[in-house]
């Protein structure tokens, strides 16, 4: 069981950051093609990756994964949150934060749900597809993506690493609040695990948004991303993140924890005796 501390997950896992050279992607601009396209109107529940759609319940996500590949075995990551009455350390009930699938020769899923007090609906999902045994021509794979999602909002190719990075920004009159990384590649991607604060990533401490064009969290577009490795493609990773819903869930969690702490202290105060102690 892992503890959620309102600003992130304290899972005691050791992580290693890969050094990124500043502006490495733009230094290789001659090796990359980069273009921007308009945003597309879409409802969150209309957007899915391999059948797993934003807004799905836990049960619906389970069914979608089983429908896609019945061989996959599901693993559930549960969290809880700590709070206090000022004397004792208390904790919430456990809840499912994430469903992942056990290692499989072809497919792997990561699905993240909203934390309490919100309903456990899908905020982000990723499907990793390994197709070394039957690689697909990159142009054919990209055509299939375009048929399903429309023309990309951002696409970059890097012949040096034989890698293609494709993003869609979805939602009518929405703004991309998560800028594309300076160095797109297999190690740089949209974080569907939501283990880091998305609010801090898109909003300043004074409440203003970091990127121009967005006045509030509600203005943030859904980000859909595919990373295609090789040509023909031997590995494809597709992820979708409802930025606005994830940020609002994070804020709701923090407000809920503040209320739990306040209520616990209030209850303890009511239980405290008024009689003077024997000295």
């Amino acid at each position: 069981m892992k503890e959620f501390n309102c600003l992130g997950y304290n899972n005691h896992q050791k992580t290693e950051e890969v050094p990124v050279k500043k502006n490495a992607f733009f230094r290789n601009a001659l090796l990359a093609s980069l273009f921007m396209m308009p945003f597309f109107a879409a409802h969150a529940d209309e957007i899915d990756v391999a059948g797993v759609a934003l807004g799905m319940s836990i049960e619906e996500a389970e069914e979608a994964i089983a429908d896609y590949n019945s061989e996959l075995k599901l693993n559930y990551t549960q969290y809880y949150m700590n709070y206090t009455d000022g004397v004792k350390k208390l904790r919430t009930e456990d809840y499912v934060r994430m469903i992942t699938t056990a290692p499989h020769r072809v497919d792997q899923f990561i699905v993240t749900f909203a934390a309490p007090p919100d309903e456990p609906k899908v905020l982000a999902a990723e499907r990793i597809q390994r197709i070394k045994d039957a690689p697909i021509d990159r142009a054919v794979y990209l055509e299939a993506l375009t048929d399903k999602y429309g023309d990309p909002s951002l696409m970059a190719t890097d012949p040096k690493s034989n890698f293609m990075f494709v993003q869609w920004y979805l939602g009518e009159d929405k703004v991309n609040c998560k800028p594309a990384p300076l160095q797109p590649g297999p190690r740089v991607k949209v974080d569907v695990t939501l283990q880091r604060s998305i609010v801090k990533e898109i909003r300043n401490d004074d409440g203003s948004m970091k990127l121009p064009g967005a006045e509030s969290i509600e203005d943030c577009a859904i980000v859909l991303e595919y990373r295609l490795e090789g040509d023909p493609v031997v590995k494809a990773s597709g992820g979708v993140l409802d930025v606005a819903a994830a940020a609002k869930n994070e804020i709701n969690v923090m407000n809920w924890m503040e209320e739990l702490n306040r209520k616990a202290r209030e209850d303890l105060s009511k239980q405290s005796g008024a009689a003077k102690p024997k000295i």
Side-chain angles (χ1 to χ4, degrees), residues 188-199:
V188 183
K189 61 181 182 178
V190 169
D191 178 22
V192 299
T193 65
L194 298 175
Q195 292 192 351
R196 296 184 296 271
S197 171
I198 193 170
V199 172

Side-chain angles (χ1 to χ4, degrees), residues 250-264:
E250 183 180 326
I251 292 171
N252 290 344
V253 169
M254 290 188 287
N255 291 338
W256 185 51
M257 293 307 297
E258 289 179 2
E259 177 62 18
L260 286 178
N261 279 292
R262 185 200 65 77
K263 185 67 165 54

Side-chain angles (χ1 to χ4, degrees), residues 80-212:
Y80 62 88
M81 289 174 265
N82 280 328
Y83 61 103
T84 180
D85 61 5
V87 177
K88 299 188 299 292
K89 188 176 181 179
L90 307 171
R91 54 175 283 180
T92 65
E93 294 183 0
D94 301 335
Y95 62 92
V96 175
R97 177 61 167 175
M98 193 179 305
I99 290 178
T100 58
T101 57
H104 184 268
R105 65 185 183 280
V106 177
D107 297 307
Q108 181 180 354
F109 280 84
I110 302 171
V111 184
T112 302
F113 300 89
D118 296 343
E119 291 295 317
K121 303 293 186 180
V122 174
L123 296 177
E126 180 179 24
R127 189 280 307 270
I128 301 170
Q129 184 182 33
R130 300 173 183 85
I131 45 180
K132 289 183 178 180
D133 295 337
I136 300 172
D137 185 83
R138 180 185 287 174
V140 173
Y141 206 109
L142 185 60
E143 181 180 4
L145 293 175
T146 304
D147 288 343
K148 180 170 183 176
Y149 302 117
D151 291 330
S153 304
L154 170 68
M155 183 166 69
T157 57
D158 184 1
K160 186 176 181 179
S161 63
N162 205 16
F163 175 85
M164 176 175 277
F165 173 87
V166 191
Q167 283 193 338
W168 292 257
Y169 310 133
L170 304 169
E172 186 174 4
D173 298 325
K174 299 299 182 180
V175 178
N176 176 31
C177 296
K178 289 174 63 65
L182 292 180
Q183 190 180 20
R187 293 180 178 271
V188 183
K189 61 181 182 178
V190 169
D191 178 22
V192 299
T193 65
L194 298 175
Q195 292 192 351
R196 296 184 296 271
S197 171
I198 193 170
V199 172
K200 289 184 176 180
E201 182 179 354
I202 66 175
R203 195 174 73 173
N204 297 310
D205 292 340
D206 63 1
S208 63
M209 302 299 289
K210 291 189 175 181
L211 290 185

